[in-house]
Amino acid sequence: MKDSIILKCAEEMSQCWHRGQKYGDGDYFQEHITKVVSSVVLAGGSVNEVVVAYLHDVVEDTDVDLDEICGFFGLEVAEAVDAITKRECESRDDYLKRCMENPTAKFVKIHDAWCNLNSSVKCGDQKRIRKYKLTIQKLLRNY
């Protein structure tokens, strides 16, 4: 019962925090977040992995900070969200290396990149296709 409450809370908070954001022409939460969550769930993700899937873009794309994440979901989730959050002046390679150091963040990032790759293929964006193929290759090395 407790896990279902935590998951519902993560879902509702993510939806609220991402309200008004767009992913192409669609709602960001519906078009991206729920797809990453579904991918993580289908892969047998743990409760914390699913929570991080709901929250993986919150710190990067909203005014929510890691202290709030920690207060609601605990240190383990906050550390994974921190690891999956790209910092402003950070190179993509440094970001991915840091992300790979946290197993939960790495697992969720693989699913995030996979969903972004699928979206890029659907719209024919060759630059993003190359970016996400390379991201997935890097993340799967030594998995």
Side-chain angles (χ1 to χ4, degrees):
M1 181 67 157
K2 181 182 174 192
D3 289 348
S4 63
I5 292 169
I6 291 168
L7 292 172
K8 187 66 177 167
C9 183
E11 176 185 15
E12 289 180 3
M13 292 173 97
S14 178
Q15 188 170 19
C16 177
W17 288 332
H18 286 294
R19 185 166 284 124
Q21 294 178 348
K22 295 290 184 187
Y23 192 83
D25 291 334
D27 176 75
Y28 192 79
F29 181 82
Q30 291 300 321
E31 295 298 320
H32 179 66
I33 301 297
T34 58
K35 289 178 181 174
V36 175
V37 169
S38 293
S39 183
V40 167
V41 169
L42 286 172
S46 68
V47 170
N48 277 356
E49 288 166 336
V50 175
V51 169
V52 172
Y54 275 119
L55 305 177
H56 76 275
D57 282 337
V58 166
V59 172
E60 200 170 305
D61 295 343
T62 74
D63 292 333
V64 175
D65 63 28
L66 290 168
D67 288 337
E68 290 176 86
I69 300 292
C70 188
F72 285 118
F73 299 102
L75 184 59
E76 187 176 331
V77 167
E79 288 176 342
V81 171
D82 183 35
I84 205 169
T85 300
K86 186 174 182 304
R87 291 169 176 54
E88 266 187 47
C89 293
E90 188 173 40
S91 73
R92 184 117 183 119
D93 282 341
D94 287 345
Y95 161 64
L96 291 174
K97 285 177 192 172
R98 189 171 51 76
C99 186
M100 287 188 281
E101 292 173 359
N102 183 294
T104 299
K106 180 179 179 179
F107 182 76
V108 174
K109 186 63 187 174
I110 290 167
H111 293 274
D112 175 44
W114 181 254
C115 291
N116 284 327
L117 175 61
N118 285 334
S119 175
S120 299
V121 167
K122 285 179 184 174
C123 68
D125 187 331
Q126 294 302 315
K127 184 177 178 183
R128 285 175 48 95
I129 290 170
R130 283 190 298 279
K131 173 184 174 179
Y132 290 114
K133 277 184 175 180
L134 184 59
T135 296
I136 292 167
Q137 289 169 351
K138 287 179 180 184
L139 289 167
L140 289 177
R141 244 184 250 141
N142 302 317
Y143 197 78

